[in-house]
């Protein structure tokens, strides 16, 4: 029987009509192309290994782009006189603590939305005679989570409580705004613009030189704070585990905008200066001037 009668392009038939497992392809390709087709994978030649180079995760950098004005205004001294004792110093501490914890004390980030293609069924007769037609694509997600370390004095919990009580006081049930004032000295209005945060999440490859993705989260509001670390059991002493802080906001995916890329590179350049090899550190970085040498009182 002629080989052209065989509907399977990979095999021929011998004179008895039985399958002959010899490819119609050129025999010099049997151990390369045909083996890939049979196994459903790539060959492992030196050149093909480049196609197997894995993509790495775990190189994520969190940056706070905007702290709500209800926190920054009092920190800059714009607060109603007599609103609370040491109100300006308290606001400064909360601004510094939350920004530092969200950026450098963050142990995990999750919530980047998946890209989905929405479809609509087009019916051509009976119910089973239909097919999907694409309509719109969307990044479906409005929440993300930062897991952050809590440290002595509980600056994370107290900072979020300060922010939340400024948005709406849990006792008075009113927007107290932390006593914040506008630049002209008028009372700050309880608008979303004065309540919201902004974040930039940057993922790089393992070299830290190439940006994989940039996620902008705008108009973010902290949903609350976990207070389970205040639970107590007799005879049990433990360390507060990293706490999850949930944000609700608007996700703006990376569109490879030149301005956004330049800003991301600038922020990364500032951050990565902290990642140095020991041989690249000078006396200032090592702080050797503060070390106690031989013969010291200590």
């Amino acid at each position: 029987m002629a080989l052209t009668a065989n509907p399977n392009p990979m095999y021929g038939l011998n004179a008895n009509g039985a399958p002959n497992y010899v490819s119609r392809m050129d025999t010099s390709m049997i151990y390369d192309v045909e083996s890939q087709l049979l196994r459903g994978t790539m060959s492992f030649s030196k050149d093909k290994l480049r196609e197997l180079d894995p993509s790495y995760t775990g190189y994520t950098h969190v940056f706070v782009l905007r702290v709500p004005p209800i926190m920054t205004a009092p920190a800059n001294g714009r607060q109603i006189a007599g609103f609370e004792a040491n109100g300006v110093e308290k606001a400064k501490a909360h601004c510094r603590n939350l920004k530092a914890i969200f950026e450098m004390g963050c142990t995990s980030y999750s919530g980047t939305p998946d890209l989905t293609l929405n479809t609509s069924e087009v019916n051509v007769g009976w119910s089973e005679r239909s097919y999907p037609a694409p309509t719109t694509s969307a990044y479906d997600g409005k929440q993300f989570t930062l897991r952050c370390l809590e440290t002595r004095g509980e600056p994370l919990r107290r900072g979020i409580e300060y922010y939340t009580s400024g948005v709406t006081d849990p006792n008075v049930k009113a927007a107290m705004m932390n006593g914040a004032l506008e630049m002209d000295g008028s009372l700050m209005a309880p608008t979303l613009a004065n309540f919201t945060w902004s974040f930039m999440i940057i993922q790089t490859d393992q070299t830290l030189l190439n940006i994989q993705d940039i996620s902008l989260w705008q108009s973010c509001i902290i949903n609350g704070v976990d207070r389970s670390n205040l639970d107590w059991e007799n005879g049990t002493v433990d360390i507060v585990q990293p706490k999850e802080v949930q944000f609700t906001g608007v996700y703006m995916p990376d569109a490879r905008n030149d301005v956004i890329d330049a800003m991301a590179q600038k922020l990364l350049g500032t951050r990565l200066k902290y990642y140095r090899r020991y041989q690249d550190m000078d006396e200032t970085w090592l702080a050797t001037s503060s070390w106690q040498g031989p013969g010291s009182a200590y």
Side-chain angles (χ1 to χ4, degrees):
M1 181 178 293
L3 293 180
T4 56
N6 178 25
N8 190 332
M10 291 188 63
Y11 306 114
L13 299 177
N14 57 25
N16 299 325
N20 181 18
Y21 296 99
V22 176
S23 175
R24 295 183 185 184
M25 304 175 189
D26 185 85
T27 55
S28 63
M29 302 171 63
I30 290 178
Y31 299 105
D32 186 15
V33 178
E34 181 178 293
S35 63
Q36 294 180 58
L37 293 173
L38 286 172
R39 294 181 298 146
T41 185
M42 295 176 261
S43 67
F44 290 88
S45 65
K46 179 184 67 174
D47 294 332
K48 289 291 184 179
L49 279 177
R50 294 191 181 93
E51 301 175 20
L52 293 175
D53 190 20
S55 176
Y56 289 84
T57 186
Y59 296 91
T60 297
H61 313 270
V62 179
F63 296 97
V64 179
L65 300 183
R66 183 175 187 268
V67 179
I70 62 169
M71 299 182 66
T72 57
N76 289 321
R78 302 199 311 272
Q79 188 178 56
I80 300 174
F83 181 78
E84 61 180 340
N86 301 320
V88 175
E89 294 303 320
K90 182 185 296 185
K92 287 182 179 179
H94 290 317
C95 286
R96 288 194 299 263
N97 289 341
L98 285 185
K99 190 175 189 300
I101 290 174
F102 289 156
E103 291 186 343
M104 304 301 291
C106 179
T107 63
S108 75
Y109 157 80
S110 61
T112 299
D114 296 328
L115 176 60
T116 58
L117 179 62
N118 300 317
T119 62
S120 180
E121 290 295 319
V122 178
N123 189 278
V124 293
W126 301 101
S127 60
E128 68 272 15
R129 296 293 187 267
S130 63
Y131 64 90
T135 55
T136 59
S137 62
Y139 290 94
D140 188 14
K142 296 181 179 179
Q143 290 188 339
F144 68 98
T145 301
L146 298 180
R147 182 176 295 138
C148 303
L149 294 172
E150 182 65 284
T151 56
R152 184 168 61 89
E154 298 193 343
L156 178 63
R157 177 177 68 85
R158 294 179 183 274
I160 296 177
E161 287 178 348
Y162 179 81
Y163 161 77
T164 305
S165 63
V167 175
T168 172
D169 189 273
N171 295 319
V172 184
K173 309 300 182 186
M176 305 296 288
M177 307 296 292
N178 293 325
L181 300 175
E182 298 284 3
M183 294 294 293
D184 59 3
S186 62
L187 293 175
M188 184 169 286
T191 62
L192 285 176
N194 293 325
F195 295 151
T196 55
W197 302 71
S198 293
F199 290 84
M200 178 180 282
I201 314 296
I202 305 174
Q203 278 93 7
T204 66
D205 64 3
Q206 64 269 32
T207 67
L208 304 179
L209 298 177
N210 299 311
I211 295 176
Q212 303 279 48
D213 186 75
I214 303 173
S215 296
L216 281 174
W217 286 95
Q218 303 283 12
S219 303
C220 300
I221 293 178
I222 301 177
N223 295 348
V225 59
D226 177 22
R227 293 164 61 91
S228 62
N229 59 294
L230 301 178
D231 296 343
W232 172 75
E233 182 178 351
N234 190 20
T236 299
V237 176
D238 201 355
I239 294 176
V240 178
Q241 299 303 312
K243 304 169 85 56
E244 291 188 351
V245 182
Q246 290 190 341
F247 295 84
T248 300
V250 179
Y251 175 70
M252 303 178 68
D254 174 26
R256 308 312 301 175
N257 181 285
D258 292 340
V259 177
I260 295 177
D261 284 353
M263 184 176 185
Q265 292 172 8
K266 180 179 179 180
L267 290 173
L268 280 176
T270 303
R271 171 71 54 84
L272 296 182
K273 73 178 183 180
Y274 296 106
Y275 297 89
R276 286 173 174 251
R277 301 177 304 171
Y278 274 121
Q279 54 262 45
D280 296 329
M281 295 183 181
D282 55 19
E283 182 177 347
T284 302
W285 281 96
L286 293 174
T288 52
S289 59
S290 63
W291 295 5
Q292 297 295 335
S296 67
Y298 302 96

